[in-house]
Amino acid sequence: METVETDTTKQLIKAGATTVINDLGASIFNYALSLKLLQVTGSAMGYGTSLIIGPLVGVLVAPWVGNTVDRYQRKNIALIAEGTLILTLIVYFLFFEMFHTNILISAIIVVCLNNITARFFTISYLSSTPQIVSGKHIQKLNSIESTAATVSSILAPAIAGFLFGIIDFKWMIILQIITEGITLILTIVTHFEDNPIAKSKNKIDRLNIFKSLNKYPTVLFFLIVTMCLNITSTALVIGMPYVVIHTLKYSTTISGNIEGIYSVGALIGGIIITIINLKNIFGFIRNMYWASSIQLFILGLMLFFMPHYVLFIFLFFEFVIGVIDSVSQPPMFTYIQKVVPEEDLGKVNTSIYTAAQILTPIAVFIFSIVFAKVNYRIVFLANGVVSLFLTFFLLEIVGKKVIKK
């Protein structure tokens, strides 16, 4: 028994280290590439390029990712994806000076290839959770990986900014090659049980984002709720910096510091969900939906009736949302990994990733226009009311019918 626990602990440590190193290396490189493009072109095209290319590439490759992950051994796919990314980065490093005159074009190519290989690796690794640890440790592994990703998001901007100021960008490429190499080694030494192979060999001819979820109505329902509430949550993502900088005329530094509190909350939430052991995951997820919706409503009320404390209100709710997001994500993945058969996890996880990304640009576009035209206090209050109505309608009316089926 002691040997089994020791082996499980080693698996959890290796998986957590893989997530930290992989996310940290990729995030540092992406930040550095954005800074390089800003430096050379004099515009913020790098940030726009990443935001546009990520969802677009995700949609285009989704059918191949999901089906490939379920048709073959996932550890092999993860290793091939990492190996391909490393080769891409090596070529980019060797020919960087040649690409320098067309740095934006070369950056787009590299970002595309990074997104494709990263999608294969991420979906393969996420879908392999039941092969890495036993069922009772799935939630803990998801929590560790979520916390590790949060730590990376906190550290990456500071590290990238510091290194970019003291070393040539070419060495940032070398740094990512090293981190991806370590990720490759950690994936090799992590034990994966063989995953079931999907029997279907049908030709992939089109993308139906919900097709793989039709067999799992509860998972599909939760995805729809998540997509809807993600739209209302975008109000804070867009509204906070807009209000702080454009309406209240504070500096970008203050806005950035407020946004940074989200990561602190996410880190604390990640630690909490790693420690606790949930007995009713389904009920917990429902409660987290309500918690997310209620806090958006309270945020709207406080901004409407306490306009002199806007910075403190934003500060508090960035922290609260960070905690809620971090606490709610691992149980969701755990529920999916327990409900969906292992041979379908690749397609389901791909559908979830892609569906969530599709609506993000739309929500950003909508709120960017609304905040420019309507008083922010009215927008946040209306958004909170809409969020509560959506939650009640989806969970208490639609949800009961879905669960009964």
Side-chain angles (χ1 to χ4, degrees), residues 311-346:
L311 291 184
F312 295 102
I313 293 171
F314 279 144
L315 199 68
F316 175 74
F317 279 96
E318 284 284 352
F319 176 81
V320 171
I321 293 172
V323 174
I324 291 175
D325 285 352
S326 188
V327 167
S328 60
Q329 288 176 10
M332 171 63 81
F333 286 123
T334 301
Y335 181 81
I336 291 170
Q337 289 156 354
K338 288 186 175 182
V339 171
V340 179
E342 293 180 23
E343 61 267 23
D344 283 344
L345 275 176

Side-chain angles (χ1 to χ4, degrees), residues 287-324:
N287 292 337
M288 285 299 97
Y289 283 135
W290 271 114
S292 178
S293 182
I294 290 171
Q295 61 85 22
L296 285 175
F297 178 67
I298 296 174
L299 167 64
L301 283 177
M302 292 183 70
L303 287 174
F304 194 83
F305 292 106
M306 302 172 65
H308 299 297
Y309 301 95
V310 172
L311 291 184
F312 295 102
I313 293 171
F314 279 144
L315 199 68
F316 175 74
F317 279 96
E318 284 284 352
F319 176 81
V320 171
I321 293 172
V323 174
I324 291 175

Side-chain angles (χ1 to χ4, degrees), residues 69-104:
V69 167
D70 287 336
R71 289 182 181 184
Y72 305 99
Q73 291 302 319
R74 290 166 187 152
K75 182 173 183 177
N76 295 337
I77 296 170
L79 293 175
I80 292 171
E82 274 301 295
T84 303
L85 176 55
I86 292 171
L87 289 175
T88 301
L89 291 169
I90 291 174
V91 172
Y92 189 50
F93 173 78
L94 293 176
F95 294 94
F96 179 73
E97 296 299 335
M98 183 185 303
F99 293 147
H100 197 269
T101 54
N102 296 301
I103 189 170
L104 182 58

Side-chain angles (χ1 to χ4, degrees), residues 11-24 121-133 137-153 183 187 190 192 266-267 269-271 273-274 326 329-331 333-334 337 349 353:
Q11 289 284 91
L12 292 172
I13 291 173
K14 285 185 283 190
T18 301
T19 303
V20 169
I21 294 170
N22 184 257
D23 285 1
L24 189 60
F121 179 83
T122 300
I123 297 299
S124 297
Y125 210 93
L126 178 64
S127 303
S128 296
T129 301
Q131 285 86 55
I132 296 176
V133 295
H137 293 103
I138 286 178
Q139 179 192 317
K140 181 167 286 189
L141 176 54
N142 286 325
S143 302
I144 289 173
E145 290 179 338
S146 177
T147 305
T150 300
V151 171
S152 299
S153 70
T183 299
T187 305
T190 301
F192 288 60
L267 178 60
I271 294 172
I273 198 65
T274 301
S326 188
Q329 288 176 10
F333 286 123
T334 301
Q337 289 156 354
N349 284 326
Y353 260 73

Side-chain angles (χ1 to χ4, degrees), residues 19-270:
T19 303
V20 169
I21 294 170
N22 184 257
D23 285 1
L24 189 60
S27 298
I28 290 174
F29 176 78
N30 288 332
Y31 275 109
L33 181 59
S34 297
L35 291 172
K36 184 65 177 177
L37 288 171
L38 180 62
Q39 182 186 68
V40 173
T41 66
S43 71
M45 183 64 72
Y47 293 97
T49 299
S50 298
L51 288 173
I52 294 170
I53 289 179
L56 179 60
V57 170
V59 171
L60 292 177
V61 304
W64 288 271
V65 173
N67 284 273
T68 302
V69 167
D70 287 336
R71 289 182 181 184
Y72 305 99
Q73 291 302 319
R74 290 166 187 152
K75 182 173 183 177
N76 295 337
I77 296 170
L79 293 175
I80 292 171
E82 274 301 295
T84 303
L85 176 55
I86 292 171
L87 289 175
T88 301
L89 291 169
I90 291 174
V91 172
Y92 189 50
F93 173 78
L94 293 176
F95 294 94
F96 179 73
E97 296 299 335
M98 183 185 303
F99 293 147
H100 197 269
T101 54
N102 296 301
I103 189 170
L104 182 58
I105 296 175
S106 63
I108 291 174
I109 295 172
V110 171
V111 170
C112 282
L113 292 174
N114 274 6
N115 273 277
I116 292 171
T117 54
R119 183 61 61 96
F120 273 99
F121 179 83
T122 300
I123 297 299
S124 297
Y125 210 93
L126 178 64
S127 303
S128 296
T129 301
Q131 285 86 55
I132 296 176
V133 295
S134 59
K136 66 178 183 178
H137 293 103
I138 286 178
Q139 179 192 317
K140 181 167 286 189
L141 176 54
N142 286 325
S143 302
I144 289 173
E145 290 179 338
S146 177
T147 305
T150 300
V151 171
S152 299
S153 70
I154 296 173
L155 296 177
I159 295 174
F162 173 74
L163 292 178
F164 188 80
I166 62 173
I167 64 175
D168 188 81
F169 177 72
K170 286 185 66 176
W171 296 106
M172 306 293 279
I173 304 174
I174 290 292
L175 178 61
Q176 198 195 2
I177 292 173
I178 292 171
T179 57
E180 298 297 344
I182 296 173
T183 299
L184 182 66
I185 294 171
L186 285 171
T187 305
I188 291 173
V189 300
T190 301
H191 176 68
F192 288 60
E193 295 287 347
D194 289 343
N195 59 275
I197 304 299
K199 297 178 181 179
S200 176
K201 299 290 182 180
N202 294 333
K203 182 180 178 181
I204 307 167
D205 54 359
R206 64 188 181 92
L207 172 62
N208 181 342
I209 195 61
F210 296 124
K211 186 176 181 180
S212 61
L213 298 171
N214 289 338
K215 294 184 289 184
Y216 315 105
T218 307
V219 176
L220 175 59
F221 168 70
F222 276 149
L223 173 60
I224 293 172
V225 177
T226 301
M227 291 169 66
C228 292
L229 293 185
N230 277 349
I231 295 176
T232 56
S233 296
T234 306
L236 185 61
V237 177
I238 300 300
M240 188 281 291
Y242 182 86
V243 172
V244 171
I245 297 171
H246 293 282
T247 305
L248 303 180
K249 307 301 181 183
Y250 287 103
S251 67
T252 55
T253 301
I254 291 177
S255 175
N257 289 338
I258 294 175
E259 285 183 286
I261 296 299
Y262 173 91
S263 297
V264 177
L267 178 60
I268 293 174

